[in-house]
Amino acid sequence: MVVLGAARGGARVLEHPVLRFLGAISFSVYLWHLVVIRVVPLPTAIGASFALRTLATIAITVPVALLSYLCVERPFLRLRPASRAPEPTPS
């Protein structure tokens, strides 16, 4: 779907700053969302509504994921060597 969208000019949509931001923190969101769902207690009024529960989970997960990305993931990405040595070819 992404390939077809890019072929039809959909690449502009994928370059939107919000989507680029979500793409950058997506791994952190993946790691933290279930922790937020399981550990963070929500008030009964929010817990009864699926939509409110989902919005509350997103509102908590995204900032936690952003902090995790900035404080953990990004520093480790900087440790990656700029260029890797080529793999030896078998003889």
Side-chain angles (χ1 to χ4, degrees):
M1 182 166 36
V2 172
V3 173
L4 289 174
R8 295 182 180 154
R12 286 184 302 227
V13 173
L14 298 175
E15 292 172 357
H16 192 278
V18 172
L19 292 179
R20 290 176 58 98
F21 167 75
L22 289 175
I25 68 166
S26 63
F27 185 67
S28 296
V29 168
Y30 167 73
L31 292 176
W32 284 106
H33 83 281
L34 194 57
V35 175
V36 170
I37 290 170
R38 297 290 182 200
V39 174
V40 176
L42 295 175
T44 308
I46 292 176
S49 168
F50 176 76
L52 289 177
R53 217 174 39 233
T54 302
L55 288 174
T57 300
I58 292 169
I60 295 168
T61 301
V62 170
V64 170
L66 177 60
L67 284 173
S68 177
Y69 172 77
L70 293 174
C71 297
V72 178
E73 189 176 345
R74 204 160 150 204
F76 277 100
L77 289 173
R78 288 187 188 143
L79 294 176
R80 196 170 39 177
S83 64
R84 294 176 46 182
E87 298 289 328
T89 56
S91 46

